Amino acid sequence: MALTTFAERPEPAIDAAERPMLEGWLEYHRETLVAKCAGLTDAQLREASVPPSALTLLGLVQHLAEVERFWFREILAGEALPDLYSTEEDPDADFKVSETTTWAETEAVWRAETAAARESAAAFGLDDFSKGLGSSGKPFNLRWIYTHMIEEYARHNGHADLVRERVDGATGV
């Protein structure tokens, strides 16, 4: 498995302009999530290790693939796309994994969604408003979406820290 390690993770520039700074922090957090999954078996990545929570590392990656799709493709670009994992009956299905869920498949979906997110964002300026609307009926500018995505990854990387430590004792990964 080709997995990102902390040594390979891109550090955000300390002197970048606003857009490269936002993009740098988002990439940093994206690769932090991948690094937290590095070196584990599929079974370990499916392990819900912080009872009573059913949260797993693979579930976090699935969730963030769906979040990337929603914010950059559905909201920003206005694409009409089905959810990747969630359904109307089970809106939290993106966090759920089965015994057959694998890292290879999950990472491929996540990488495809992050690539599509980058492509969607490239067509917008930071002050440009989204083509799609949020639940409030209002659009979002790209700056807001970048900031929200950095927050989303940072929060879930904290969850991943706890899950990873319980799975194999690794910290600072």
Side-chain angles (χ1 to χ4, degrees), residues 95-125:
F95 283 107
K96 297 176 181 172
V97 298
S98 72
E99 287 300 313
T100 61
T101 304
T102 67
W103 172 252
E105 293 166 358
T106 303
E107 182 192 24
V109 170
W110 178 81
R111 292 244 181 239
E113 289 303 326
T114 57
R118 285 184 207 95
E119 186 177 326
S120 293
F124 290 81

PDB file of all heavy atoms in Angstrom, residues 95-125:
ATOM      1  N   PHE A  95     -20.378   6.827   7.483  1.00  0.00           N
ATOM      2  CA  PHE A  95     -19.467   6.430   8.565  1.00  0.00           C
ATOM      3  C   PHE A  95     -19.406   4.912   8.752  1.00  0.00           C
ATOM      4  O   PHE A  95     -18.551   4.416   9.470  1.00  0.00           O
ATOM      5  CB  PHE A  95     -19.907   7.054   9.893  1.00  0.00           C
ATOM      6  CG  PHE A  95     -19.568   8.505  10.032  1.00  0.00           C
ATOM      7  CD1 PHE A  95     -20.561   9.471   9.946  1.00  0.00           C
ATOM      8  CD2 PHE A  95     -18.262   8.918  10.252  1.00  0.00           C
ATOM      9  CE1 PHE A  95     -20.260  10.818  10.089  1.00  0.00           C
ATOM     10  CE2 PHE A  95     -17.944  10.264  10.391  1.00  0.00           C
ATOM     11  CZ  PHE A  95     -18.951  11.211  10.303  1.00  0.00           C
ATOM     12  N   LYS A  96     -20.328   4.187   8.145  1.00  0.00           N
ATOM     13  CA  LYS A  96     -20.449   2.746   8.383  1.00  0.00           C
ATOM     14  C   LYS A  96     -19.641   1.940   7.379  1.00  0.00           C
ATOM     15  O   LYS A  96     -19.617   2.253   6.195  1.00  0.00           O
ATOM     16  CB  LYS A  96     -21.917   2.343   8.338  1.00  0.00           C
ATOM     17  CG  LYS A  96     -22.714   3.023   9.439  1.00  0.00           C
ATOM     18  CD  LYS A  96     -24.180   2.722   9.351  1.00  0.00           C
ATOM     19  CE  LYS A  96     -24.916   3.460  10.473  1.00  0.00           C
ATOM     20  NZ  LYS A  96     -26.356   3.356  10.321  1.00  0.00           N
ATOM     21  N   VAL A  97     -18.996   0.898   7.879  1.00  0.00           N
ATOM     22  CA  VAL A  97     -18.226  -0.003   7.033  1.00  0.00           C
ATOM     23  C   VAL A  97     -18.687  -1.433   7.271  1.00  0.00           C
ATOM     24  O   VAL A  97     -19.240  -1.756   8.315  1.00  0.00           O
ATOM     25  CB  VAL A  97     -16.702   0.125   7.293  1.00  0.00           C
ATOM     26  CG1 VAL A  97     -16.211   1.526   6.972  1.00  0.00           C
ATOM     27  CG2 VAL A  97     -16.344  -0.247   8.715  1.00  0.00           C
ATOM     28  N   SER A  98     -18.430  -2.269   6.274  1.00  0.00           N
ATOM     29  CA  SER A  98     -18.774  -3.692   6.402  1.00  0.00           C
ATOM     30  C   SER A  98     -17.482  -4.498   6.468  1.00  0.00           C
ATOM     31  O   SER A  98     -16.383  -3.953   6.316  1.00  0.00           O
ATOM     32  CB  SER A  98     -19.607  -4.141   5.196  1.00  0.00           C
ATOM     33  OG  SER A  98     -18.782  -4.225   4.043  1.00  0.00           O
ATOM     34  N   GLU A  99     -17.606  -5.771   6.644  1.00  0.00           N
ATOM     35  CA  GLU A  99     -16.441  -6.670   6.697  1.00  0.00           C
ATOM     36  C   GLU A  99     -15.715  -6.723   5.357  1.00  0.00           C
ATOM     37  O   GLU A  99     -14.589  -7.204   5.289  1.00  0.00           O
ATOM     38  CB  GLU A  99     -16.868  -8.077   7.129  1.00  0.00           C
ATOM     39  CG  GLU A  99     -17.235  -8.162   8.602  1.00  0.00           C
ATOM     40  CD  GLU A  99     -16.077  -7.769   9.517  1.00  0.00           C
ATOM     41  OE1 GLU A  99     -14.935  -8.237   9.306  1.00  0.00           O
ATOM     42  OE2 GLU A  99     -16.315  -6.975  10.447  1.00  0.00           O
ATOM     43  N   THR A 100     -16.366  -6.247   4.287  1.00  0.00           N
ATOM     44  CA  THR A 100     -15.726  -6.283   2.972  1.00  0.00           C
ATOM     45  C   THR A 100     -15.173  -4.921   2.546  1.00  0.00           C
ATOM     46  O   THR A 100     -14.558  -4.816   1.492  1.00  0.00           O
ATOM     47  CB  THR A 100     -16.712  -6.785   1.902  1.00  0.00           C
ATOM     48  OG1 THR A 100     -17.828  -5.891   1.844  1.00  0.00           O
ATOM     49  CG2 THR A 100     -17.189  -8.199   2.209  1.00  0.00           C
ATOM     50  N   THR A 101     -15.352  -3.896   3.368  1.00  0.00           N
ATOM     51  CA  THR A 101     -14.820  -2.575   3.044  1.00  0.00           C
ATOM     52  C   THR A 101     -13.294  -2.633   3.130  1.00  0.00           C
ATOM     53  O   THR A 101     -12.754  -3.102   4.128  1.00  0.00           O
ATOM     54  CB  THR A 101     -15.363  -1.515   4.020  1.00  0.00           C
ATOM     55  OG1 THR A 101     -16.791  -1.544   4.007  1.00  0.00           O
ATOM     56  CG2 THR A 101     -14.889  -0.118   3.632  1.00  0.00           C
ATOM     57  N   THR A 102     -12.624  -2.165   2.076  1.00  0.00           N
ATOM     58  CA  THR A 102     -11.162  -2.225   2.043  1.00  0.00           C
ATOM     59  C   THR A 102     -10.561  -0.826   1.937  1.00  0.00           C
ATOM     60  O   THR A 102     -11.202   0.116   1.474  1.00  0.00           O
ATOM     61  CB  THR A 102     -10.651  -3.044   0.842  1.00  0.00           C
ATOM     62  OG1 THR A 102     -10.978  -2.343  -0.367  1.00  0.00           O
ATOM     63  CG2 THR A 102     -11.230  -4.454   0.829  1.00  0.00           C
ATOM     64  N   TRP A 103      -9.299  -0.733   2.357  1.00  0.00           N
ATOM     65  CA  TRP A 103      -8.563   0.509   2.223  1.00  0.00           C
ATOM     66  C   TRP A 103      -8.412   0.873   0.746  1.00  0.00           C
ATOM     67  O   TRP A 103      -8.606   2.029   0.364  1.00  0.00           O
ATOM     68  CB  TRP A 103      -7.186   0.415   2.888  1.00  0.00           C
ATOM     69  CG  TRP A 103      -6.364   1.616   2.569  1.00  0.00           C
ATOM     70  CD1 TRP A 103      -5.282   1.674   1.744  1.00  0.00           C
ATOM     71  CD2 TRP A 103      -6.569   2.946   3.035  1.00  0.00           C
ATOM     72  NE1 TRP A 103      -4.810   2.970   1.665  1.00  0.00           N
ATOM     73  CE2 TRP A 103      -5.596   3.772   2.459  1.00  0.00           C
ATOM     74  CE3 TRP A 103      -7.512   3.532   3.887  1.00  0.00           C
ATOM     75  CZ2 TRP A 103      -5.506   5.137   2.695  1.00  0.00           C
ATOM     76  CZ3 TRP A 103      -7.430   4.899   4.133  1.00  0.00           C
ATOM     77  CH2 TRP A 103      -6.434   5.685   3.534  1.00  0.00           C
ATOM     78  N   ALA A 104      -8.051  -0.088  -0.084  1.00  0.00           N
ATOM     79  CA  ALA A 104      -7.805   0.203  -1.500  1.00  0.00           C
ATOM     80  C   ALA A 104      -9.023   0.858  -2.148  1.00  0.00           C
ATOM     81  O   ALA A 104      -8.892   1.868  -2.845  1.00  0.00           O
ATOM     82  CB  ALA A 104      -7.409  -1.074  -2.238  1.00  0.00           C
ATOM     83  N   GLU A 105     -10.191   0.290  -1.931  1.00  0.00           N
ATOM     84  CA  GLU A 105     -11.407   0.852  -2.525  1.00  0.00           C
ATOM     85  C   GLU A 105     -11.762   2.198  -1.902  1.00  0.00           C
ATOM     86  O   GLU A 105     -12.113   3.147  -2.609  1.00  0.00           O
ATOM     87  CB  GLU A 105     -12.576  -0.119  -2.356  1.00  0.00           C
ATOM     88  CG  GLU A 105     -12.428  -1.392  -3.154  1.00  0.00           C
ATOM     89  CD  GLU A 105     -13.408  -2.480  -2.725  1.00  0.00           C
ATOM     90  OE1 GLU A 105     -14.191  -2.269  -1.775  1.00  0.00           O
ATOM     91  OE2 GLU A 105     -13.376  -3.545  -3.357  1.00  0.00           O
ATOM     92  N   THR A 106     -11.672   2.295  -0.595  1.00  0.00           N
ATOM     93  CA  THR A 106     -12.037   3.522   0.108  1.00  0.00           C
ATOM     94  C   THR A 106     -11.095   4.657  -0.261  1.00  0.00           C
ATOM     95  O   THR A 106     -11.531   5.780  -0.539  1.00  0.00           O
ATOM     96  CB  THR A 106     -12.040   3.282   1.631  1.00  0.00           C
ATOM     97  OG1 THR A 106     -12.934   2.200   1.917  1.00  0.00           O
ATOM     98  CG2 THR A 106     -12.485   4.514   2.391  1.00  0.00           C
ATOM     99  N   GLU A 107      -9.804   4.372  -0.284  1.00  0.00           N
ATOM    100  CA  GLU A 107      -8.837   5.408  -0.655  1.00  0.00           C
ATOM    101  C   GLU A 107      -9.047   5.847  -2.096  1.00  0.00           C
ATOM    102  O   GLU A 107      -8.947   7.052  -2.406  1.00  0.00           O
ATOM    103  CB  GLU A 107      -7.397   4.920  -0.469  1.00  0.00           C
ATOM    104  CG  GLU A 107      -6.397   6.019  -0.820  1.00  0.00           C
ATOM    105  CD  GLU A 107      -4.959   5.560  -0.955  1.00  0.00           C
ATOM    106  OE1 GLU A 107      -4.723   4.369  -1.233  1.00  0.00           O
ATOM    107  OE2 GLU A 107      -4.077   6.416  -0.794  1.00  0.00           O
ATOM    108  N   ALA A 108      -9.336   4.909  -3.008  1.00  0.00           N
ATOM    109  CA  ALA A 108      -9.538   5.268  -4.418  1.00  0.00           C
ATOM    110  C   ALA A 108     -10.718   6.229  -4.572  1.00  0.00           C
ATOM    111  O   ALA A 108     -10.630   7.213  -5.314  1.00  0.00           O
ATOM    112  CB  ALA A 108      -9.748   4.012  -5.259  1.00  0.00           C
ATOM    113  N   VAL A 109     -11.808   5.956  -3.866  1.00  0.00           N
ATOM    114  CA  VAL A 109     -12.969   6.855  -3.917  1.00  0.00           C
ATOM    115  C   VAL A 109     -12.598   8.211  -3.339  1.00  0.00           C
ATOM    116  O   VAL A 109     -12.896   9.259  -3.930  1.00  0.00           O
ATOM    117  CB  VAL A 109     -14.179   6.244  -3.171  1.00  0.00           C
ATOM    118  CG1 VAL A 109     -15.303   7.261  -3.006  1.00  0.00           C
ATOM    119  CG2 VAL A 109     -14.680   5.000  -3.896  1.00  0.00           C
ATOM    120  N   TRP A 110     -11.935   8.223  -2.183  1.00  0.00           N
ATOM    121  CA  TRP A 110     -11.536   9.475  -1.542  1.00  0.00           C
ATOM    122  C   TRP A 110     -10.587  10.274  -2.450  1.00  0.00           C
ATOM    123  O   TRP A 110     -10.755  11.482  -2.621  1.00  0.00           O
ATOM    124  CB  TRP A 110     -10.883   9.175  -0.185  1.00  0.00           C
ATOM    125  CG  TRP A 110     -10.401  10.388   0.520  1.00  0.00           C
ATOM    126  CD1 TRP A 110     -11.125  11.273   1.262  1.00  0.00           C
ATOM    127  CD2 TRP A 110      -9.052  10.875   0.543  1.00  0.00           C
ATOM    128  NE1 TRP A 110     -10.314  12.277   1.758  1.00  0.00           N
ATOM    129  CE2 TRP A 110      -9.041  12.040   1.319  1.00  0.00           C
ATOM    130  CE3 TRP A 110      -7.865  10.426  -0.018  1.00  0.00           C
ATOM    131  CZ2 TRP A 110      -7.884  12.782   1.546  1.00  0.00           C
ATOM    132  CZ3 TRP A 110      -6.706  11.153   0.210  1.00  0.00           C
ATOM    133  CH2 TRP A 110      -6.731  12.308   0.986  1.00  0.00           C
ATOM    134  N   ARG A 111      -9.599   9.610  -3.034  1.00  0.00           N
ATOM    135  CA  ARG A 111      -8.658  10.305  -3.926  1.00  0.00           C
ATOM    136  C   ARG A 111      -9.385  10.866  -5.153  1.00  0.00           C
ATOM    137  O   ARG A 111      -9.082  11.971  -5.604  1.00  0.00           O
ATOM    138  CB  ARG A 111      -7.525   9.386  -4.353  1.00  0.00           C
ATOM    139  CG  ARG A 111      -6.612   9.027  -3.187  1.00  0.00           C
ATOM    140  CD  ARG A 111      -5.221   9.549  -3.366  1.00  0.00           C
ATOM    141  NE  ARG A 111      -4.384   9.150  -2.244  1.00  0.00           N
ATOM    142  CZ  ARG A 111      -3.763  10.005  -1.457  1.00  0.00           C
ATOM    143  NH1 ARG A 111      -3.875  11.296  -1.655  1.00  0.00           N
ATOM    144  NH2 ARG A 111      -3.024   9.575  -0.461  1.00  0.00           N
ATOM    145  N   ALA A 112     -10.339  10.123  -5.700  1.00  0.00           N
ATOM    146  CA  ALA A 112     -11.109  10.623  -6.848  1.00  0.00           C
ATOM    147  C   ALA A 112     -11.914  11.860  -6.460  1.00  0.00           C
ATOM    148  O   ALA A 112     -11.984  12.833  -7.228  1.00  0.00           O
ATOM    149  CB  ALA A 112     -12.033   9.529  -7.385  1.00  0.00           C
ATOM    150  N   GLU A 113     -12.503  11.849  -5.275  1.00  0.00           N
ATOM    151  CA  GLU A 113     -13.294  13.004  -4.833  1.00  0.00           C
ATOM    152  C   GLU A 113     -12.412  14.206  -4.516  1.00  0.00           C
ATOM    153  O   GLU A 113     -12.793  15.344  -4.809  1.00  0.00           O
ATOM    154  CB  GLU A 113     -14.175  12.639  -3.643  1.00  0.00           C
ATOM    155  CG  GLU A 113     -15.327  11.732  -4.007  1.00  0.00           C
ATOM    156  CD  GLU A 113     -16.247  12.275  -5.096  1.00  0.00           C
ATOM    157  OE1 GLU A 113     -16.458  13.517  -5.171  1.00  0.00           O
ATOM    158  OE2 GLU A 113     -16.768  11.470  -5.884  1.00  0.00           O
ATOM    159  N   THR A 114     -11.230  13.982  -3.945  1.00  0.00           N
ATOM    160  CA  THR A 114     -10.355  15.131  -3.679  1.00  0.00           C
ATOM    161  C   THR A 114      -9.833  15.709  -4.990  1.00  0.00           C
ATOM    162  O   THR A 114      -9.714  16.935  -5.117  1.00  0.00           O
ATOM    163  CB  THR A 114      -9.200  14.788  -2.720  1.00  0.00           C
ATOM    164  OG1 THR A 114      -8.431  13.713  -3.245  1.00  0.00           O
ATOM    165  CG2 THR A 114      -9.712  14.439  -1.334  1.00  0.00           C
ATOM    166  N   ALA A 115      -9.560  14.874  -5.977  1.00  0.00           N
ATOM    167  CA  ALA A 115      -9.127  15.371  -7.290  1.00  0.00           C
ATOM    168  C   ALA A 115     -10.252  16.173  -7.946  1.00  0.00           C
ATOM    169  O   ALA A 115     -10.006  17.251  -8.512  1.00  0.00           O
ATOM    170  CB  ALA A 115      -8.692  14.209  -8.186  1.00  0.00           C
ATOM    171  N   ALA A 116     -11.467  15.668  -7.880  1.00  0.00           N
ATOM    172  CA  ALA A 116     -12.611  16.388  -8.445  1.00  0.00           C
ATOM    173  C   ALA A 116     -12.856  17.695  -7.693  1.00  0.00           C
ATOM    174  O   ALA A 116     -13.229  18.707  -8.298  1.00  0.00           O
ATOM    175  CB  ALA A 116     -13.856  15.499  -8.402  1.00  0.00           C
ATOM    176  N   ALA A 117     -12.615  17.696  -6.384  1.00  0.00           N
ATOM    177  CA  ALA A 117     -12.773  18.910  -5.581  1.00  0.00           C
ATOM    178  C   ALA A 117     -11.777  19.975  -6.033  1.00  0.00           C
ATOM    179  O   ALA A 117     -12.134  21.150  -6.196  1.00  0.00           O
ATOM    180  CB  ALA A 117     -12.583  18.597  -4.095  1.00  0.00           C
ATOM    181  N   ARG A 118     -10.523  19.570  -6.232  1.00  0.00           N
ATOM    182  CA  ARG A 118      -9.506  20.519  -6.692  1.00  0.00           C
ATOM    183  C   ARG A 118      -9.890  21.105  -8.047  1.00  0.00           C
ATOM    184  O   ARG A 118      -9.733  22.303  -8.294  1.00  0.00           O
ATOM    185  CB  ARG A 118      -8.145  19.832  -6.789  1.00  0.00           C
ATOM    186  CG  ARG A 118      -7.482  19.587  -5.472  1.00  0.00           C
ATOM    187  CD  ARG A 118      -6.072  18.986  -5.659  1.00  0.00           C
ATOM    188  NE  ARG A 118      -5.744  18.198  -4.502  1.00  0.00           N
ATOM    189  CZ  ARG A 118      -5.908  16.889  -4.386  1.00  0.00           C
ATOM    190  NH1 ARG A 118      -6.371  16.176  -5.399  1.00  0.00           N
ATOM    191  NH2 ARG A 118      -5.599  16.268  -3.264  1.00  0.00           N
ATOM    192  N   GLU A 119     -10.388  20.249  -8.926  1.00  0.00           N
ATOM    193  CA  GLU A 119     -10.798  20.694 -10.261  1.00  0.00           C
ATOM    194  C   GLU A 119     -11.969  21.681 -10.175  1.00  0.00           C
ATOM    195  O   GLU A 119     -11.963  22.715 -10.847  1.00  0.00           O
ATOM    196  CB  GLU A 119     -11.186  19.481 -11.112  1.00  0.00           C
ATOM    197  CG  GLU A 119     -11.490  19.819 -12.545  1.00  0.00           C
ATOM    198  CD  GLU A 119     -11.796  18.582 -13.373  1.00  0.00           C
ATOM    199  OE1 GLU A 119     -11.201  17.512 -13.117  1.00  0.00           O
ATOM    200  OE2 GLU A 119     -12.640  18.696 -14.276  1.00  0.00           O
ATOM    201  N   SER A 120     -12.943  21.386  -9.353  1.00  0.00           N
ATOM    202  CA  SER A 120     -14.082  22.299  -9.180  1.00  0.00           C
ATOM    203  C   SER A 120     -13.626  23.638  -8.630  1.00  0.00           C
ATOM    204  O   SER A 120     -14.020  24.698  -9.125  1.00  0.00           O
ATOM    205  CB  SER A 120     -15.131  21.695  -8.240  1.00  0.00           C
ATOM    206  OG  SER A 120     -15.744  20.578  -8.822  1.00  0.00           O
ATOM    207  N   ALA A 121     -12.785  23.612  -7.602  1.00  0.00           N
ATOM    208  CA  ALA A 121     -12.327  24.842  -6.957  1.00  0.00           C
ATOM    209  C   ALA A 121     -11.495  25.705  -7.905  1.00  0.00           C
ATOM    210  O   ALA A 121     -11.544  26.944  -7.822  1.00  0.00           O
ATOM    211  CB  ALA A 121     -11.525  24.505  -5.697  1.00  0.00           C
ATOM    212  N   ALA A 122     -10.759  25.078  -8.806  1.00  0.00           N
ATOM    213  CA  ALA A 122      -9.896  25.823  -9.723  1.00  0.00           C
ATOM    214  C   ALA A 122     -10.680  26.794 -10.602  1.00  0.00           C
ATOM    215  O   ALA A 122     -10.133  27.795 -11.065  1.00  0.00           O
ATOM    216  CB  ALA A 122      -9.086  24.856 -10.582  1.00  0.00           C
ATOM    217  N   ALA A 123     -11.953  26.538 -10.802  1.00  0.00           N
ATOM    218  CA  ALA A 123     -12.783  27.385 -11.666  1.00  0.00           C
ATOM    219  C   ALA A 123     -13.380  28.580 -10.922  1.00  0.00           C
ATOM    220  O   ALA A 123     -14.103  29.381 -11.524  1.00  0.00           O
ATOM    221  CB  ALA A 123     -13.903  26.539 -12.281  1.00  0.00           C
ATOM    222  N   PHE A 124     -13.103  28.717  -9.635  1.00  0.00           N
ATOM    223  CA  PHE A 124     -13.700  29.767  -8.813  1.00  0.00           C
ATOM    224  C   PHE A 124     -12.628  30.595  -8.123  1.00  0.00           C
ATOM    225  O   PHE A 124     -11.583  30.073  -7.742  1.00  0.00           O
ATOM    226  CB  PHE A 124     -14.595  29.144  -7.726  1.00  0.00           C
ATOM    227  CG  PHE A 124     -15.852  28.530  -8.243  1.00  0.00           C
ATOM    228  CD1 PHE A 124     -15.845  27.259  -8.794  1.00  0.00           C
ATOM    229  CD2 PHE A 124     -17.054  29.224  -8.176  1.00  0.00           C
ATOM    230  CE1 PHE A 124     -17.010  26.686  -9.272  1.00  0.00           C
ATOM    231  CE2 PHE A 124     -18.224  28.662  -8.649  1.00  0.00           C
ATOM    232  CZ  PHE A 124     -18.205  27.382  -9.203  1.00  0.00           C
ATOM    233  N   GLY A 125     -12.915  31.872  -7.918  1.00  0.00           N
ATOM    234  CA  GLY A 125     -12.107  32.725  -7.076  1.00  0.00           C
ATOM    235  C   GLY A 125     -12.607  32.612  -5.645  1.00  0.00           C
ATOM    236  O   GLY A 125     -13.729  32.145  -5.400  1.00  0.00           O
TER     237      GLY A 125
END
